[in-house]
Amino acid sequence: TSNSLIEDSHFRNTGDDALASWSPLGDPVNTNNVFRFNTVQIPWRANCFAIYGGKNNHVEDNMCSDVVTYPGILIAQQFNSNPFDGNTFVGRNSLIRAGGPMFNLEHGALKIWSAQGDISGLIVKDILIDSPTFSGLQLDGAYGITSASFENIEITGAGTAGLFLGSRISGDANFSHITISDSVKSNFLNYSPKLKFTIN
């Protein structure tokens, strides 16, 4: 699916991702899909919003609240998806009480997950994360996360760490104007390998 727009819609109690762009490996590649000005409440399984591979997809100006088992927003190389290409943009979203436990993992409210391959060209900015169950912003996975930027992100009241970097990631990311307060365990928990992941 390409050049699709979902806007001004309300999703409640969905049993899997409320809104997702999944680009299965092969042609054509999901390109330029936009989720904007949507409200998602209480997805009892999976995410409010998810992007699995593809090119130039957007998640912007949305509200997500009360997630039970997974992130509020998940950007993942997963489910045998096409590689990320161009720029994936996540901006001006609010995540309220998001993230949860699933498959023995503690998922952050906003999770970048390189589970099956590299993730590149990610732009995340102007995000409010309030009272996440576990971490607020989580970068994790066994593959590279490269050319990623995170700007103007406010994280309040994280159940574990405000910003969590996993122990297997590689690549690089730019962080600017990140405000973290009142985390239960740590505002910044950095397990990333120093010789494999560069923080700017």
Side-chain angles (χ1 to χ4, degrees):
T1 301
S2 293
N3 303 311
S4 296
L5 172 64
I6 301 177
E7 63 179 351
D8 296 313
S9 298
H10 183 195
F11 302 82
R12 185 178 174 92
N13 291 127
T14 53
D16 213 317
D17 297 335
L19 290 173
S21 174
W22 174 33
S23 185
L25 193 60
D27 289 323
V29 175
N30 283 30
T31 303
N32 194 37
N33 296 301
V34 179
F35 304 150
R36 69 186 185 195
F37 298 109
N38 299 289
T39 297
V40 178
Q41 296 173 300
I42 323 175
W44 58 264
R45 171 123 183 200
N47 317 277
C48 288
F49 306 95
I51 303 292
Y52 305 110
K55 181 178 180 181
N56 295 336
N57 295 299
H58 290 237
V59 180
E60 54 193 27
D61 301 291
N62 300 287
M63 169 68 76
C64 164
S65 63
D66 298 302
V67 183
V68 177
T69 62
Y70 246 64
I73 296 177
L74 176 63
I75 308 299
Q77 187 65 50
Q78 199 177 18
F79 304 122
N80 299 314
S81 57
N82 280 302
F84 282 87
D85 193 8
N87 290 117
T88 301
F89 180 74
V90 179
R92 301 179 306 277
N93 299 284
S94 295
L95 306 178
I96 313 299
R97 298 177 299 277
M102 195 67 181
F103 300 121
N104 298 313
L105 297 173
E106 296 181 348
H107 298 284
L110 171 53
K111 183 171 182 177
I112 316 303
W113 198 6
S114 58
Q116 294 181 331
D118 295 345
I119 295 175
S120 64
L122 177 63
I123 300 171
V124 179
K125 62 187 302 183
D126 303 323
I127 306 293
L128 171 64
I129 300 174
D130 187 11
S131 303
T133 303
F134 299 115
S135 59
L137 171 60
Q138 178 183 6
L139 279 64
D140 214 338
Y143 294 85
I145 297 172
T146 60
S147 301
S149 67
F150 301 87
E151 178 183 356
N152 193 25
I153 298 174
E154 180 180 349
I155 303 170
T156 304
T160 55
L163 171 57
F164 173 72
L165 303 181
S167 62
R168 299 187 298 163
I169 61 173
S170 60
D172 63 280
N174 295 313
F175 295 91
S176 62
H177 300 96
I178 311 297
T179 304
I180 304 172
S181 60
D182 299 324
S183 302
V184 171
K185 293 186 177 180
S186 172
N187 284 336
F188 181 31
L189 189 56
N190 181 13
Y191 290 149
S192 66
K194 292 182 179 180
L195 299 179
K196 292 185 178 181
F197 190 74
T198 302
I199 300 171
N200 302 309

